[in-house]
Amino acid sequence: MQKTKLVWAAFTFFCLGHGAGCGGSMGGNPEKSGIVFSITDAPVDNAKNVFIKIASMAVKQENKDWLEIPLTESDEIDLLALQNGRSKAFAALQELPAGTYTETRLILSETAPGRLVDNDGEEHALKIPSGSESGLKIKSSFTVTTGVAQELTIDFDLRKSLKLTGNGNNANGKYMLKPVLRLAENQATGSIQGQGVDGVLVCAYPSTVTVFESECEDAVTTTKVAAGVFTLSYLAPGSYTVVSFQDATRLGTKAGVVVKAKEATLVGQLP
């Protein structure tokens, strides 16, 4: 919490009078705008912790060079601690030129490689191809508007990204991370909230999807019920189908769940 406060202290002048979402007019240089990047995650079944350390971050403006965004978080990040709407700010810049940005890139630490702690408490090396070299790229555009501070969140979807190669009980078993990343503009997204039984997996599918499987490969985002509640976060406005699973068995389905920007849609109790 203290580090998050420090991130926002860097440009409090952006947000006075505009609440947690910022988005208000910016003082100072009218040709530039401030930006904060956070990270969030989806659950997996075979791990308690998944740690990564970000070494650098950059964004690419359309038809221009990469621009580095200074990090505000120098420690390892436990991705599995960032579920059910929780996120962690890790990079910020007070002045970012207005315009369209077409790519975002994360370079992971070479000296502190990724690691996974399984459900038995045993630690495993986590292979992340090109993570510390060319980096992890998100080819998703976002627009910086003159004088408007902005928050973006990277959904680091471990459920789609984490793979076990070979047999996890012998020397040939290896955990590999082939990241599936999604970039969300906080002010342009909403959430779905409800109640359920702890440990149940809940997935938000686009309304166009009609086949639902327990790994939620076609879902936009997933979460697990914790303390009786769940939140499916950073969803673009539109219609979704919310499906709950337990031990690969589908428990319940709610279709036609409409999400609006900057609002939480309540769906009540799911089985």
Side-chain angles (χ1 to χ4, degrees):
M1 287 297 296
Q2 185 62 33
K3 291 184 178 179
T4 300
K5 290 178 181 177
L6 290 173
V7 171
W8 281 107
F11 46 128
T12 300
F13 62 96
F14 292 156
C15 301
L16 291 176
H18 297 286
C22 230
S25 296
M26 165 189 163
N29 191 333
E31 300 301 323
K32 297 182 179 181
S33 306
I35 197 163
V36 170
F37 284 87
S38 298
I39 196 165
T40 191
D41 188 35
V44 294
D45 299 324
N46 54 353
K48 292 196 299 185
N49 310 94
V50 173
F51 295 99
I52 63 167
K53 185 175 182 180
I54 299 171
S56 66
M57 180 190 177
V59 294
K60 189 178 188 305
Q61 193 170 9
E62 192 171 31
N63 301 321
K64 295 186 179 181
D65 292 332
W66 289 92
L67 176 65
E68 187 164 339
I69 307 295
L71 298 181
T72 58
E73 177 55 70
S74 59
D75 295 332
E76 284 185 314
I77 297 173
D78 181 4
L79 294 173
L80 286 181
L82 304 175
Q83 300 178 41
N84 256 321
R86 291 186 293 273
S87 64
K88 186 177 188 66
F90 70 92
L93 187 63
Q94 289 191 29
E95 294 186 346
L96 185 67
T100 299
Y101 291 79
T102 56
E103 290 186 64
T104 302
R105 180 175 64 193
L106 299 178
I107 302 292
L108 302 185
S109 173
E110 187 174 10
T111 57
R115 57 194 181 95
L116 177 148
V117 179
D118 65 25
N119 289 331
D120 295 324
E122 184 175 349
E123 185 171 307
H124 304 265
L126 186 60
K127 181 176 176 57
I128 308 174
S130 302
S132 59
E133 297 166 359
S134 59
L136 314 178
K137 293 182 181 179
I138 311 172
K139 295 187 177 182
S140 179
S141 297
F142 65 92
T143 300
V144 173
T145 303
T146 300
V148 178
Q150 197 169 2
E151 295 175 76
L152 292 98
T153 298
I154 296 173
D155 186 356
F156 205 114
D157 195 334
L158 280 180
R159 194 163 193 87
K160 298 178 182 178
S161 306
L162 190 61
K163 310 294 180 184
L164 176 60
T165 62
N167 187 330
N169 295 320
N170 62 42
N172 295 323
K174 296 180 180 179
Y175 284 96
M176 181 175 291
L177 193 63
K178 294 185 176 181
V180 177
L181 306 178
R182 181 175 66 93
L183 185 66
E185 299 183 54
N186 290 17
Q187 286 292 308
T189 63
S191 64
I192 298 171
Q193 297 179 358
Q195 298 87 44
V197 177
D198 284 6
V200 166
L201 181 70
V202 184
C203 309
Y205 291 88
S207 59
T208 53
V209 176
T210 57
V211 177
F212 313 112
E213 41 72 40
S214 60
E215 288 305 307
C216 301
E217 283 289 336
D218 295 324
V220 177
T221 191
T222 65
T223 192
K224 281 189 175 180
V225 180
V229 297
F230 68 86
T231 301
L232 295 156
S233 301
Y234 308 108
L235 291 167
S239 180
Y240 295 87
T241 302
V242 180
V243 184
S244 59
F245 296 93
Q246 189 168 46
D247 299 327
T249 299
R250 177 150 54 114
L251 299 179
T253 303
K254 287 197 176 184
V257 179
V258 176
V259 171
K260 297 180 180 179
K262 297 188 286 187
E263 292 186 13
T265 300
L266 306 180
V267 296
Q269 184 79 23
L270 280 181

